[in-house]
Amino acid sequence: MPNKQGRKKLCSPLDAVINNTSLIISREITNEKSATTLERSHTMSLLKDSYFNVNEAPSLPEDKEYHVFFSYEYANRDRNWVKAVVRELENKGFKCCVYEKDKNQSQSFSSNIQHFIDKSMRIVIVLSNTYINGDWAKMELEILSRGNVNDLVFIPVLIEPCNIPPFLKDCMFINATCKQVKWWDQFLELIRGACPQLPPKKKYHAFFAHTSRNKPWVADVVKMLESPKVGIVCCYPARNFKKGQSKRESIEHALRRSEKVVVVISDDFVNQEWRLYYENKVRSKDIIPVIVEDSYIPPALDECEAIDARSDEFHWLPNLFSAITDSVYVPSVTSLSRDDPDYASTSLSDISEKSQTISVV
């Protein structure tokens, strides 16, 4: 019988990541064992306590490339913290953007940062004293604060006590310095966002069936639903149908890849388009009729609960959100309107009832 002492202990990939990171941090703090550095290494060990399944990342809208962009101090040990977190997120299927890895060498620093902001659903700002006081970080914070902050989703993560940039004062913080709090679970909830994950072989939460006359209306609604603060992935003919493919083939493909079908009811759709969609077996899908003008409704939709969107305002949008996500919870999208300033200030915690963060005073 083999000697028990001779057996090698097997470790999971996550254990290996954390152990390697802890080793790196331990080497770095040999000559400088400050309390904050030791605390930072401790927070990394909390990752062991929460090991989720792989491929938890939600689908990305057409105009986004990354789930999260990390803003942090590049020339400091903060980099090791980010590396470990990014590796774990990528193991779960999230697409992470890091300046050192994803920058375009032919573009300026500010152009790269602006591109990352535009193409990311969320922005994680890793706050430490070295980040706040670093020259490159100051430039990056300046770029972030100059943008339309209200249209972005910031997730500030405090890895050591430090001054808070003014434009982040109203944000909720993840406190990654507290031993008693398992910040990783809270952090992952915010990275996931409020929208449910799509099942395998599905690419869109909702496919919008409409006519060319209603294209501007659909584009406005999709823009709001796909915003980083909501995160629903949509498909509609004017944007997603490929050139060279017949309309019938495009419809069949969109129906196969979509969870729900939003049928935009208007006279011209019922008279011109309905039969084409019906013949493409839309009747077997989960249909959400949305009435945009007085019109005859096909008998096949009689048993569907329609949403009345004939008002110029968007007070009905929470009902559409709930119908698409099968959620009883109505988020704070009651003010999702192109002309309503409250839309831009809707916080991620308002959208997701699960999100629990730590407010740092």
Side-chain angles (χ1 to χ4, degrees):
M1 177 178 290
N3 190 333
K4 290 185 179 180
Q5 296 180 348
R7 295 177 182 174
K8 292 184 178 180
K9 182 180 180 181
L10 298 177
C11 64
S12 69
L14 177 59
D15 288 333
V17 170
I18 302 304
N19 290 337
N20 288 338
T21 304
S22 299
L23 179 60
I24 293 172
I25 294 176
S26 297
R27 288 172 178 171
E28 289 185 350
I29 66 175
T30 299
N31 298 324
E32 185 184 353
K33 293 185 177 181
S34 66
T36 54
T37 304
L38 291 171
E39 187 64 51
R40 188 180 308 172
S41 64
H42 170 76
T43 60
M44 292 311 304
S45 68
L46 291 176
L47 287 165
K48 291 183 179 181
D49 297 333
S50 181
Y51 194 75
F52 292 92
N53 294 327
V54 180
N55 296 327
E56 295 182 11
S59 298
L60 287 167
E62 295 288 324
D63 63 338
K64 301 295 182 182
E65 296 178 13
Y66 309 103
H67 291 96
V68 57
F69 165 57
F70 281 83
S71 176
Y72 64 98
E73 172 56 44
Y74 309 117
N76 191 266
R77 60 177 62 90
D78 297 8
R79 177 190 301 176
N80 293 324
W81 189 97
V82 171
K83 281 183 178 180
V85 171
V86 166
R87 190 175 302 156
E88 179 61 13
L89 287 175
E90 290 180 341
N91 285 340
K92 299 178 188 303
F94 291 90
K95 294 183 179 179
C96 299
C97 177
V98 177
Y99 179 84
E100 296 169 294
K101 173 175 65 72
D102 298 295
K103 65 183 177 182
N104 186 332
Q105 297 285 358
S106 63
Q107 293 184 353
S108 65
F109 174 81
S110 59
S111 296
N112 271 300
I113 297 299
Q114 189 60 56
H115 174 77
F116 297 152
I117 293 172
D118 294 339
K119 295 298 181 182
S120 300
M121 291 292 287
R122 285 160 180 77
I123 300 169
V124 170
I125 300 182
V126 182
L127 291 170
S128 66
N129 282 305
T130 50
Y131 177 83
I132 297 300
N133 298 320
D135 292 335
W136 281 95
K138 287 179 181 178
M139 292 174 58
E140 194 166 306
L141 283 172
E142 177 64 24
I143 296 170
L144 291 170
S145 62
R146 283 203 312 263
N148 190 353
V149 175
N150 288 329
D151 288 338
L152 304 175
V153 176
F154 290 107
I155 305 177
V157 181
L158 203 68
I159 63 174
E160 70 179 18
C162 63
N163 293 324
I164 306 300
F167 77 96
L168 294 175
K169 290 288 188 181
D170 294 330
C171 293
M172 298 297 290
F173 285 71
I174 294 291
N175 188 347
T177 69
C178 184
K179 293 182 179 180
Q180 287 76 26
V181 178
K182 296 184 178 180
W183 58 269
W184 176 251
D185 293 2
Q186 301 166 353
F187 177 73
L188 196 57
E189 284 294 323
L190 289 179
I191 296 294
R192 284 198 194 100
C195 209
Q197 183 181 2
L198 285 166
K201 299 182 180 180
K202 296 294 182 182
K203 187 177 181 180
Y204 310 104
H205 291 102
F207 168 55
F208 282 75
H210 66 92
T211 60
S212 57
R213 184 162 65 88
N214 289 317
K215 172 187 170 182
W217 184 92
V218 171
D220 278 348
V221 172
V222 167
K223 183 178 181 180
M224 288 185 282
L225 291 176
E226 287 190 338
S227 71
K229 295 182 179 181
V230 183
I232 292 176
V233 184
C234 303
C235 172
Y236 65 99
R239 184 187 69 180
N240 297 92
F241 282 8
K242 295 180 180 179
K243 295 181 179 179
Q245 192 174 42
S246 72
K247 192 168 186 177
R248 183 178 294 276
E249 290 175 332
S250 297
I251 291 172
E252 290 176 353
H253 177 76
L255 291 176
R256 285 197 304 268
R257 303 299 299 277
S258 302
E259 279 268 83
K260 305 286 179 66
V261 179
V262 178
V263 178
V264 182
I265 301 293
S266 61
D267 274 339
D268 55 342
F269 180 83
V270 173
N271 295 328
Q272 301 171 23
E273 301 282 341
W274 170 248
R275 181 173 294 277
L276 175 60
Y277 282 92
Y278 186 76
E279 290 174 351
N280 271 282
K281 299 181 180 178
V282 71
R283 59 188 181 277
S284 65
K285 302 291 290 185
D286 196 343
I287 303 176
I288 307 168
V290 178
I291 305 171
V292 297
E293 64 180 36
D294 295 337
S295 174
Y296 163 76
I297 299 180
L301 301 181
D302 283 347
E303 296 183 1
C304 299
E305 186 174 350
I307 295 174
D308 190 348
R310 283 172 287 190
S311 170
D312 290 336
E313 298 180 356
F314 284 77
H315 297 309
W316 47 266
L317 199 55
N319 296 329
L320 180 59
F321 175 92
S322 296
I324 291 173
T325 60
D326 288 325
S327 173
V328 177
Y329 173 70
V330 180
S332 296
V333 293
T334 52
S335 59
L336 286 181
S337 170
R338 291 164 294 179
D339 304 318
D340 191 340
D342 289 338
Y343 162 58
S345 64
T346 303
S347 67
L348 183 63
S349 57
D350 289 330
I351 297 295
S352 176
E353 61 181 348
K354 295 181 180 179
S355 300
Q356 298 292 327
T357 55
I358 303 168
S359 181
V360 176
V361 181

